[in-house]
Amino acid sequence: MSSLLLRVSFGPIEDTNSLLGFACRSHIIERTQRRFKGVTFANKTFALSSAVVANPIRSSEEKVYEVVLKQAALVKERSRDAKIALDLDTKPLENAEFSNGDLLNVAYDRCGEVCAEYAKTFYLGTRLMTEERQKAIWAIYVWCRRTDELVDGPNASYITPSALDRWEQRLNDVFQGRPFDMYDAALADTVTRYPVDIQPFKDMIEGMRMDLRKSRYNNFDELYLYCYYVAGTVALMSVPVMGIAPESKVSTESIYNAALALGIANQLTNILRDVGEDARRGRVYLPQDELAKAGLSDEDIFSGKVTDKWRSFMKGQIKRARKFFDEAEEGVTQLDSASRWPVWSSLLLYRQILDAIEANDYNNFTKRAYVGKAKKLLSLPAAYGIALIGPQKLSKMVLG
């Protein structure tokens, strides 16, 4: 991966400043209060977003909501203002003997192979989508995986901020129709077919930069922004491809917010599952102020002892993650019917990781919470049923 990065040509980085103002502060505060209503910690204080209270000027949630509004506006337009023709001859693509159409088919097929190998359950769900949509989702998945591998893969120790800068310039080239390799070609084609904005992709790279320079988070506002960078962005990339149900009566913005909430929930779950693993790498992805209020510190995490204080703290963290999952449910049912199953599968399976943490008596230091194969097999048809008829109707059928 690092050798590929060195070959990327340089050019001007396009302006990434958002053009959207804050038209929604009261909406965000109301939604945040609803999400965390009743969530308590050791000191019995409500776990409201610290930024809304401590930083009335601009919270991380407000910054992210700007991106949500911009992406939702693109989807409403249904198409990009201008289609940029792919220039497949400006970069040294492998298998150049194929025609452009054949080359793209091979590129998408390879993306599908990567998705099938590393995200089996998700890949299975994508097979229910239309052929065009599944290919686009595979292309996005592969780009996200390659980006994540920069800081978490085998060559992570060699990655520098300048390498991420080159990766971002390569992303700019992709969005301008100048792919470097076959995986890039698949993504370059995808972003011409769907109203996908470059900002979530840039933000994911920013999350990788954050991993290089930051190993502590002072409060939940900082952690929320990190979760958006590394996971919420994936939701914003994917919704334009997955599509919104034609019969949906809710706003596009609310669907994007729900998708964003699922990304945040999944990442919070990853963090809670991997506390011990991260601690062994010298990282603590937990709000420092909330640890202090619970009478805990980094040393308690590094010691790996499950105490009553730790259990109480973890209960609050898990409750907050579940609030994000609850918010996500509101929007998943609004996706196109052919795209719901993989999303519902992700939601149900990740929720069960929180159950597994509780079953392990909150020992996420030495015990890894996971969903066993039997539970996974049971969850998949449940997710499929919910995707087809909705959670409310399914509950009535089961109970009635």
Side-chain angles (χ1 to χ4, degrees), residues 24-37 48 52 61:
C24 54
R25 182 182 303 280
S26 60
H27 164 73
I28 290 175
I29 293 176
E30 178 184 355
R31 183 159 50 87
T32 304
Q33 289 173 334
R34 184 176 71 250
R35 180 189 302 147
F36 298 119
K37 182 179 181 181
L48 294 175
V52 173
E61 193 165 0

Side-chain angles (χ1 to χ4, degrees), residues 28-273:
I28 290 175
I29 293 176
E30 178 184 355
R31 183 159 50 87
T32 304
Q33 289 173 334
R34 184 176 71 250
R35 180 189 302 147
F36 298 119
K37 182 179 181 181
V39 181
T40 57
F41 293 89
N43 67 344
K44 305 302 182 183
T45 59
F46 286 109
L48 294 175
S49 173
S50 59
V52 173
V53 177
N55 183 7
I57 298 175
R58 194 179 189 196
S59 72
S60 290
E61 193 165 0
E62 288 171 320
K63 294 175 186 176
V64 172
Y65 197 66
E66 287 186 24
V67 184
V68 169
L69 288 175
K70 186 177 180 183
Q71 181 64 81
L74 282 173
V75 171
K76 287 177 180 177
E77 292 167 7
R78 294 293 177 183
S79 63
R80 301 175 69 86
D81 292 336
K83 297 281 187 180
I84 304 172
L86 282 177
D87 183 3
L88 295 179
D89 298 323
T90 62
K91 295 291 179 179
L93 288 171
E94 50 193 303
N95 292 321
E97 68 272 14
F98 291 114
S99 68
N100 283 2
D102 288 338
L103 181 63
L104 282 172
N105 287 333
V106 174
Y108 277 122
D109 287 344
R110 290 195 182 180
C111 289
E113 290 168 4
V114 174
C115 187
E117 181 176 356
Y118 294 102
K120 294 179 175 61
T121 301
F122 180 76
Y123 173 79
L124 182 63
T126 65
R127 299 299 292 181
L128 292 179
M129 299 179 183
T130 63
E131 183 178 358
E132 186 177 81
R133 282 178 177 173
Q134 67 184 236
K135 287 181 176 180
I137 288 294
W138 295 342
I140 291 172
Y141 170 84
V142 167
W143 185 88
C144 291
R145 180 170 181 83
R146 296 174 86 184
T147 302
D148 183 67
E149 286 285 297
L150 294 177
V151 296
D152 279 336
N155 295 320
S157 59
Y158 302 103
I159 296 301
T160 63
S162 60
L164 291 176
D165 291 343
R166 291 192 291 273
W167 186 247
E168 183 168 355
Q169 180 53 48
R170 179 165 165 172
L171 173 69
N172 289 330
D173 289 340
V174 167
F175 269 76
Q176 292 299 316
R178 297 191 297 271
F180 180 82
D181 63 13
M182 297 192 75
Y183 297 120
D184 284 354
L187 182 62
D189 184 58
T190 291
V191 301
T192 65
R193 295 176 183 273
Y194 296 93
V196 179
D197 185 46
I198 195 173
Q199 192 59 50
F201 293 83
K202 286 178 172 285
D203 287 343
M204 175 172 274
I205 296 173
E206 186 59 33
M208 303 304 110
R209 291 191 182 101
M210 190 177 288
D211 261 334
L212 290 182
R213 67 175 184 263
K214 194 177 180 70
S215 60
R216 300 292 187 279
Y217 294 83
N218 292 324
N219 49 49
F220 184 70
D221 185 60
E222 290 187 7
L223 186 62
Y224 176 91
L225 188 60
Y226 172 74
C227 289
Y228 160 70
Y229 280 153
V230 300
T233 49
V234 181
L236 300 190
M237 298 171 194
S238 302
V239 171
V241 175
M242 290 185 168
I244 297 172
E247 66 274 14
S248 176
K249 304 298 182 183
V250 303
S251 70
T252 304
E253 290 85 353
S254 66
I255 296 173
Y256 268 88
N257 272 325
L260 175 63
L262 180 57
I264 301 294
N266 285 350
Q267 185 59 26
L268 288 175
T269 301
N270 283 337
I271 288 170
L272 298 180
R273 179 195 62 195

Side-chain angles (χ1 to χ4, degrees), residues 356-392:
I357 294 173
E358 292 173 331
N360 287 341
D361 192 28
Y362 305 99
N363 180 3
N364 42 8
F365 300 118
T366 59
K367 292 184 178 180
R368 183 175 176 84
Y370 66 94
V371 181
K373 290 184 178 180
K375 286 186 177 181
K376 280 185 178 180
L377 290 174
L378 290 173
S379 296
L380 292 179
Y384 185 66
I386 294 173
L388 282 179
I389 63 177
Q392 291 81 14

